[in-house]
Amino acid sequence: QLQLVESGGGLVQPGGSLRLSCTASGFTLDYYAIGWFRQAPGKEREGVSCIRSSGGSTNYADSVKGRFTISRDNAKNTVYLQMNSLKPEDTAVYYCAASAESCNWDYAEYDYWGQGTQVTVSS
C-alpha cells in the first residue's frame, strides 16, 4: 500500500519550534517532489514549502520564508519541515504530498497525500 505518514505536530508556544516528518511506505520518495501544505479551520489549503526530487532545490511561501526549512533524507525515505519562530497564524493541519512532476502550489498536481498532523501555536 502506497502511503505517506506525517508526524511531529503538537502544541507549542509562540516563538517555539517543531519538526514535522513525512515518511513514505510502499514507494520511494527519491523520484518525487514533496510539498507541505496546511489548512486552517475555515480556510483553503495553502502551499507552505516544496523540495524537488533531484538537486533538492526548494520553494517557500512568503509567509514562512526565513522561519521554515524543508529537507529530505532519501536514505530514510523521509522529508522534514523544520518550523522555527512559530506564530499563532501557523496553526493548521499540515499535510505532506508527493508529486511526480515538479514543485508547484496546485495541490491537484500531487499524487499521494498523508493524513495530516495538527500544529497548534498558542500561549
Side-chain angles (χ1 to χ4, degrees):
Q1 185 177 1
L2 308 178
Q3 62 177 355
L4 294 171
V5 178
E6 302 97 335
S7 61
L11 173 64
V12 64
Q13 293 186 343
S17 298
L18 284 173
R19 188 177 79 158
L20 305 184
S21 299
C22 171
T23 301
S25 62
F27 68 108
T28 178
L29 291 180
D30 295 28
Y31 306 110
Y32 289 85
I34 304 300
W36 283 97
F37 293 78
R38 67 186 181 187
Q39 188 165 19
K43 295 188 177 181
E44 292 191 356
R45 190 170 298 189
E46 63 173 347
V48 174
S49 184
C50 187
I51 186 165
R52 288 172 176 77
S53 59
S54 59
S57 60
T58 57
N59 292 351
Y60 296 94
D62 288 344
S63 59
V64 306
K65 279 180 183 176
R67 301 188 297 122
F68 290 12
T69 303
I70 191 170
S71 61
R72 65 192 305 153
D73 184 341
N74 288 341
K76 294 183 178 180
N77 218 23
T78 298
V79 170
Y80 303 99
L81 185 68
Q82 178 67 44
M83 306 187 296
N84 298 330
S85 302
L86 283 161
K87 305 175 181 179
E89 51 264 43
D90 295 317
T91 296
V93 177
Y94 283 71
Y95 301 88
C96 66
S99 172
E101 307 297 330
S102 185
C103 280
N104 65 83
W105 297 132
D106 182 359
Y107 57 78
E109 295 293 324
Y110 287 78
D111 306 295
Y112 305 107
W113 287 84
Q115 81 290 347
T117 185
Q118 177 70 48
V119 171
T120 303
V121 184
S122 175
S123 55

